Amino acid sequence: MFSRTNSRISFATWRRPRAILWAAVSVTALGFLITLEIAARHYGLPGPITNQVKEVIFAPKSGPLLYASMALMTVVLTRRQRFIAAGVAVGIDLAFFLVRWAVDAKMMFGNGALWVILGCAVIALTRRTGQERVLLLKGVGLALLLVAGRKTGDTWLLITSKTRPAVLDQYVATADHALGNPSWLVGRMVKATGPVGAHVLDYVYIQLAVFAVIVTLYQLRHVGVERRFPRHHLVRTFLVIGLLGPGIYMLFPVVGPIFAYGADGGQWAAADLWPNTPPPIHAPLHMSFDEITPRNCMPSLHTAWATAIFIHSRKGPRVLQFAGTFWLIATLGATLGFGYHYGADIVAGVVFTLTIEAGLRSQERGWDRSGIQLVAHGATVFVALLLAYRYLPMEMAKHPWVFGPLVMLAMASVIHGYVRTTRLWDPTAAPARLPNQRSEPQPELV
C-alpha cells in the first residue's frame, strides 16, 4: 500500500504541467544537441557534444566562460561550499597548468571549473535527496546550459557557412542607405580612436557572456537562502535568443560589411569599400561566398544579448545600471565599428530581443491580452523589417527620408509598447482599487 501511494504521488507530480514542460524541454534540447553533432560530423568536424567532452581534459576554448558558468552554479551553495568549490577548481587548474607546461601543450585554464560542475552533478544524484537534489541539479543545469549554448552556437555558425553558399549582403547594404550607412560611419570613428578604442570595444564584444553572468549572479543572489530560483532571469532570455537566432541566419544569410565590402572578404568581396566609401546604390543580387565565413548577421545577436543585459540590469543597483548601459553602447560601437553588422541588423536585433523578452515574461506571469498584443506587435514588426530588407531595398535607398524614419519608428513602437506594458506588470505597482471595493478586510481573504 505504501509503495502504491508513493507511485501515485510520483505520477501525479509528473502530470503537473510545469514538470511535463521541463521534461519536454530536456528531451528537445538533447535531441537538438544530437542533431547538431550529426550535422557537424557530416562536414568532418566535431560537434558541440564532442567539443564539450574534450574540454574535460584538453585546453578549453574559453576559461573565463567556464568559471562564469561555475559561478552561476554556486548560487545554490552555501558560502562555505562556494569557497570549497572555488578552491578545488583552482587546484585542478594548477595541476593541469603544470602538466601542460611540462609537455609544452596549449595553455588555458577552465578545466577545474568544468570538473567542479560535473562533480556537483554526481553529488546531487548520489548524496542529495528531495528538494535539495532538484535545486543542485538546477544549478548544474544552468551552468552546463551556458557552456552548451556557446558550443551549439559555434556549430550553428559552421552549418550556416556550409549550407548557405549565397548571401544577401547586397540587399541589406542597399537598404542600409535609408539609415545613413551607420557601419561605414562608426567604422571610421573607431579607426580614428586608434588601438586604445579598438581594444576596449574588442574586450567588451568578446566578454559579453561574462558580463551577462555578473548580471545573472545579482538576480540569483538570494537563491542560496530562499532555496528556489526566480521564475524569470537573464539566462532564460539569453538561451532563447541563442536558440531562435541561428534559425533566422538560415533564412536570411548575411556575412557583414567587413567581409562583403572589405579586405577581410578577399576575392569573395563585392568591392574593397569598408569603411571609407559607402557602396553605390544599384539593384542588389545574391552573392556567392566562401564556405568558412559564418552567415551570422541578421539579426545581430550580440546586439540582442546586449539589449537583454540592459533590460535586466535596470532593476539592479546604480553601478550595475551604468555598466549595463555602457555594455550596450560599447557593443553597438563594436558591432558597427568593426564591420561585423549593418545598421539594419542592429534594428532587427533590438526588436527580436524585446519580442522574446515579452514572450518569456508573459509566460512567467500568465498570458493575457496585453502580453499577446505585445508579442504579436513585436513579431509583426520583425517580420516586416526582414521583408522590407529583402524585397524593398531599392525603394529604401532611393527614399531614405521616408524609409529611414519609418524603420526607426517601427523599432521605437516596439520599445514604447514594451516599456508601457511591462510597467503595468510591475509587481511593485499598487493595484487600482475598484469603486465598489470596501476598505475593510474580506472574510474569504482573511
Side-chain angles (χ1 to χ4, degrees):
M1 178 65 70
F2 180 73
S3 62
R4 287 182 183 176
T5 303
N6 282 350
S7 298
R8 284 197 297 269
I9 293 173
S10 178
F11 180 69
T13 300
W14 278 102
R15 286 182 60 189
R16 294 175 184 171
R18 195 169 185 82
I20 295 174
L21 176 63
W22 277 109
V25 169
S26 300
V27 172
T28 303
L30 179 60
F32 180 67
L33 286 173
I34 293 174
T35 302
L36 287 181
E37 182 74 25
I38 295 172
R41 293 284 180 176
H42 174 72
Y43 294 110
L45 295 171
I49 299 176
T50 303
N51 284 329
Q52 191 57 67
V53 171
K54 286 171 59 178
E55 291 189 351
V56 175
I57 301 296
F58 297 100
K61 183 176 181 179
S62 175
L65 180 64
L66 287 172
Y67 269 91
S69 300
M70 187 189 74
L72 276 183
M73 183 204 65
T74 60
V75 298
V76 305
L77 305 178
T78 63
R79 182 173 297 181
R80 177 174 175 273
Q81 291 169 340
R82 291 170 188 169
F83 279 115
I84 294 174
V88 171
V90 172
I92 293 173
D93 267 326
L94 286 175
F96 272 97
F97 180 86
L98 292 175
V99 172
R100 287 177 182 143
W101 176 75
V103 300
D104 196 24
K106 178 183 177 182
M107 304 300 291
M108 176 54 74
F109 63 93
N111 300 87
L114 183 57
W115 277 48
V116 169
I117 294 170
L118 298 177
C120 286
V122 174
I123 292 173
L125 295 172
T126 59
R127 305 292 297 275
R128 298 287 187 270
T129 58
Q131 186 61 31
E132 287 300 311
R133 171 186 287 178
V134 173
L135 188 66
L136 185 52
L137 285 177
K138 282 185 177 180
V140 171
L142 193 65
L144 291 179
L145 279 174
L146 187 63
V147 176
R150 177 69 174 267
K151 301 302 180 188
T152 56
D154 293 341
T155 305
W156 260 120
L157 297 184
L158 166 69
I159 293 174
T160 62
S161 63
K162 298 294 185 181
T163 61
R164 293 295 181 268
V167 297
L168 303 178
D169 281 77
Q170 292 189 20
Y171 291 85
V172 182
T174 303
D176 225 35
H177 281 278
L179 300 175
N181 300 298
S183 181
W184 273 256
L185 175 62
V186 180
R188 292 193 295 272
M189 292 172 60
V190 171
K191 187 177 180 180
T193 62
V196 175
H199 285 315
V200 171
L201 293 181
D202 185 59
Y203 181 82
V204 170
Y205 189 83
I206 293 174
Q207 301 299 336
L208 183 68
V210 176
F211 184 70
V213 170
I214 294 174
V215 176
T216 305
L217 287 174
Y218 174 79
Q219 293 180 320
L220 304 181
R221 66 194 183 280
H222 297 310
V223 171
V225 176
E226 298 176 353
R227 312 310 292 166
R228 64 181 181 86
F229 279 86
R231 293 178 63 87
H232 181 54
H233 49 80
L234 177 58
V235 174
R236 297 177 77 228
T237 308
F238 250 60
L239 291 174
V240 175
I241 289 173
L243 179 65
L244 299 180
I248 312 300
Y249 292 165
M250 301 292 285
L251 297 174
F252 209 113
V254 179
V255 294
I258 196 172
F259 299 104
Y261 293 96
D264 288 19
Q267 63 178 355
W268 300 95
D272 188 1
L273 301 175
W274 189 89
N276 299 315
T277 307
I281 299 176
H282 60 78
L285 300 170
H286 285 64
M287 282 177 56
S288 295
F289 218 79
D290 62 33
E291 296 184 359
I292 300 174
T293 307
R295 281 64 163 151
N296 61 339
C297 279
M298 183 63 71
S300 169
L301 292 197
H302 260 80
T303 299
W305 285 317
T307 303
I309 290 174
F310 174 81
I311 293 171
H312 283 263
S313 65
R314 294 305 88 194
K315 292 187 177 181
R318 184 159 297 181
V319 63
L320 199 63
Q321 294 180 19
F322 286 147
T325 303
F326 166 77
W327 225 267
L328 175 60
I329 295 173
T331 300
L332 294 177
T335 54
L336 292 172
F338 293 150
Y340 297 149
H341 290 279
Y342 303 91
D345 310 338
I346 305 298
V347 174
V350 172
V351 174
F352 186 65
T353 299
L354 293 176
T355 305
I356 289 174
E357 182 71 17
L360 290 175
R361 292 197 60 178
S362 295
Q363 184 268 334
E364 168 215 348
R365 66 185 298 276
W367 288 93
D368 59 10
R369 183 176 180 180
S370 62
I372 294 172
Q373 288 179 338
L374 180 57
V375 173
H377 176 61
T380 301
V381 170
F382 181 73
V383 173
L385 288 174
L386 296 188
L387 292 176
Y389 300 157
R390 174 62 180 83
Y391 296 106
L392 299 175
M394 286 297 293
E395 288 74 8
M396 295 179 69
K398 291 178 179 178
H399 306 285
W401 293 106
V402 176
F403 284 93
L406 280 178
V407 170
M408 299 306 295
L409 283 174
M411 180 181 69
S413 70
V414 178
I415 297 174
H416 177 263
Y418 178 85
V419 172
R420 182 187 61 186
T421 304
T422 53
R423 279 180 179 172
L424 297 177
W425 293 349
D426 189 352
T428 61
R433 183 178 297 278
L434 298 176
N436 59 351
Q437 261 188 321
R438 296 189 302 174
S439 59
E440 55 267 359
Q442 313 232 351
E444 63 271 24
L445 297 182
V446 174

